Amino acid sequence: MKRRLFMVLALAAGAGAVLAAIYERSRIKGMLRAFYRWTLPDYRVAQGHESVTVEMAINSRCNSDWGGNPYEFHWGMFDTKKNLPGDIVEKVMNLSGLPGLTYRETSIHRDSVSLSFLTSNESDQRKMSWLMIESGMQQQAVGLVCAALGVGMVFNNQGRDGRVISPAQIETTKIKLGPMKPGYEGSYWTSKAPGEPSPWTSGNLVDPDRKGTIPFLSILPELRFQKKTSLRASEDSLSQLLWAARGRTPHYYLARPWGLTIPTWGGRQDISSVYVIKNAKSFSYVNWMDDRPTHMLSDLGEMKVRLFGNNGNGHQDKYGLIIIGTNENTNRALWEVGYQLFNLLVQAHSLGVSYETHFLDDSQQKLIDQSGIKNPVIAFSHY
């Protein structure tokens, strides 16, 4: 009995020693990594970021990784020979503020170079949907701010519905920031259309302007969900808004020329869709056809209902009401709605046209459903 007890105690002591060694080794490794980062030169934001336009920020956005080959996974590459100082992380957060949508809690929490996106946990489904859309807008704001500054970022997904961290709070996702290598012929930005091996092909919409004139960072403090101006909408402005919401860009993903103006979950491009209602007809927006990127509307048929009137001038019917719908019942689909809505807001603001955001109620959703538009969530009018 004594011998058996001795063996048990010896095994326990041995296991404790192993665990202690593992802990000590991990602690030492952590200290070495911290020392290594401390010896690296600090990364600074890219020169010229103040003049990066809305269109160039949208066109140049891409996620990053450490692989060293932009054609292998993500197009963006982290620069492992530099350290991202805390003041840049704070700058990204400070620039990514949003106008209030729900007047509930949505926030970004910083842990070193990682950002956690948090929302309150609501029992009301409609309020919860709005919170998810707003969180998506925050995620996209961070992504475009990073694109403008020349900072790398990568998502650390917490599940397609996010992660409940307390009865009152949900973590929708995490984003890690880091120094970035210039990914477009020595530059952090590009105004080029997608190229080989799947070159851009023009559709039935005016080709979008990827160069622009209004600096992206300058408009963020002025961003609102609606704005009235004296400049009227046009076919060109509709085309530009559709491209900003869900158009094609020149970066690659998983070795495919699969770039979009918004991030996608694992490269999936069937989670949400963009539609247009104009001239009493409904259309779906198409950005890929015959294995090439494009920019066009596909006719879905007659639209016999009028949702929001004409704002007194008839322009809304003529130039289009943009609808964003989900293709699955998940929070990630609502985040994607938020990505597209944020892009619509910054693009409409920079174009100078009047616009208004409509969060659809049940009766409006049912009306739009009748015209072949699946699960509509947001309507965006410009006039």
Side-chain angles (χ1 to χ4, degrees):
M1 184 66 182
K2 289 183 179 180
R3 183 179 179 184
R4 187 176 298 172
L5 179 61
F6 175 79
M7 291 178 65
V8 169
L9 292 173
L11 287 171
V18 169
L19 290 173
I22 292 172
Y23 171 78
E24 188 64 23
R25 179 180 291 183
S26 66
R27 190 171 69 87
I28 291 171
K29 281 185 176 180
M31 293 172 63
L32 288 174
R33 281 196 295 267
F35 177 75
Y36 175 70
R37 287 196 300 269
W38 180 72
T39 63
L40 294 175
D42 278 350
Y43 180 77
R44 306 314 307 171
V45 295
Q47 291 187 351
H49 66 272
E50 300 93 343
S51 60
V52 174
T53 63
V54 168
E55 291 79 4
M56 287 189 72
I58 291 174
N59 197 52
S60 306
R61 66 139 301 272
C62 57
N63 293 354
S64 304
D65 64 45
W66 297 266
N69 182 355
Y71 294 94
E72 198 168 76
F73 189 27
H74 290 125
W75 181 257
M77 293 288 107
F78 285 124
D79 188 343
T80 59
K81 295 182 179 180
K82 292 182 180 179
N83 174 62
L84 188 72
D87 65 313
I88 292 183
V89 182
E90 292 292 332
K91 185 180 183 72
V92 170
M93 291 180 63
N94 291 337
L95 289 170
S96 302
L98 290 174
L101 167 61
T102 61
Y103 304 102
R104 306 293 293 178
E105 182 187 354
T106 58
S107 61
I108 304 174
H109 174 74
R110 177 190 167 195
D111 181 11
S112 184
V113 295
S114 290
L115 305 180
S116 295
F117 294 78
L118 307 175
T119 72
S120 59
N121 193 359
E122 295 285 344
S123 57
D124 184 286
Q125 187 56 50
R126 183 170 295 281
K127 290 181 180 178
M128 199 71 227
S129 296
W130 290 348
L131 283 168
M132 291 300 116
I133 292 170
E134 188 165 6
S135 182
M137 293 178 69
Q138 287 182 326
Q139 295 168 35
Q140 181 68 347
V142 167
L144 290 187
V145 167
C146 285
L149 295 178
V151 174
M153 57 157 284
V154 65
F155 283 89
N156 180 3
N157 290 321
Q158 304 299 297
R160 60 185 182 178
D161 290 313
R163 183 172 69 94
V164 177
I165 58 177
S166 77
Q169 203 166 50
I170 293 177
E171 181 181 59
T172 58
T173 194
K174 288 184 177 180
I175 290 179
K176 184 172 184 178
L177 308 183
M180 187 180 184
K181 297 179 180 179
Y184 299 100
E185 300 174 338
S187 174
Y188 292 95
W189 315 289
T190 182
S191 59
K192 290 184 176 180
E196 298 293 341
S198 299
W200 175 265
T201 178
S202 296
N204 56 16
L205 291 167
V206 179
D207 276 2
D209 174 17
R210 298 175 177 85
K211 192 171 183 179
T213 58
I214 307 299
F216 170 71
L217 296 178
S218 70
I219 72 169
L220 294 180
E222 305 169 3
L223 202 60
R224 299 293 182 269
F225 284 103
Q226 62 182 25
K227 179 183 179 183
K228 289 189 177 182
T229 72
S230 58
L231 185 63
R232 293 305 176 197
S234 65
E235 294 290 347
D236 286 1
S237 61
L238 174 62
S239 170
Q240 192 67 33
L241 287 166
L242 290 171
W243 171 80
R246 201 176 178 82
R248 289 290 169 184
T249 60
H251 69 269
Y252 279 58
Y253 178 73
L254 289 175
R256 296 192 68 186
W258 211 221
L260 276 179
T261 57
I262 62 167
T264 57
W265 182 288
R268 287 190 55 181
Q269 302 196 3
D270 58 350
I271 293 173
S272 69
S273 298
V274 173
Y275 306 89
V276 171
I277 298 171
K278 68 169 187 169
N279 297 331
K281 299 182 73 173
S282 59
F283 304 82
S284 63
Y285 176 61
V286 178
N287 60 31
W288 190 266
M289 180 172 283
D290 298 328
D291 205 32
R292 292 174 65 175
T294 190
H295 184 55
M296 61 181 292
L297 291 176
S298 177
D299 193 336
L300 295 177
E302 295 294 322
M303 181 76 185
K304 297 182 179 179
V305 298
R306 183 167 294 176
L307 294 172
F308 307 108
N310 289 321
N311 298 297
N313 53 35
H315 283 276
Q316 182 168 298
D317 278 354
K318 183 178 180 181
Y319 293 121
L321 184 70
I322 298 172
I323 308 291
I324 310 174
T326 59
N327 299 327
E328 62 176 36
N329 186 27
T330 61
N331 286 339
R332 69 180 180 183
L334 294 169
W335 304 332
E336 198 165 284
V337 170
Y339 303 159
Q340 292 162 115
L341 177 56
F342 182 80
N343 282 12
L344 284 172
L345 291 177
V346 295
Q347 184 67 86
H349 190 97
S350 70
L351 291 174
V353 296
S354 296
Y355 64 87
E356 189 170 356
T357 308
H358 309 273
F359 299 90
L360 301 176
D361 60 30
D362 291 339
S363 62
Q364 292 167 336
Q365 289 176 334
K366 289 176 182 177
L367 283 174
I368 298 174
D369 268 330
Q370 296 171 12
S371 297
I373 295 177
K374 185 178 180 181
N375 298 327
V377 180
I378 294 289
F380 187 87
S381 59
H382 80 298
Y383 49 93

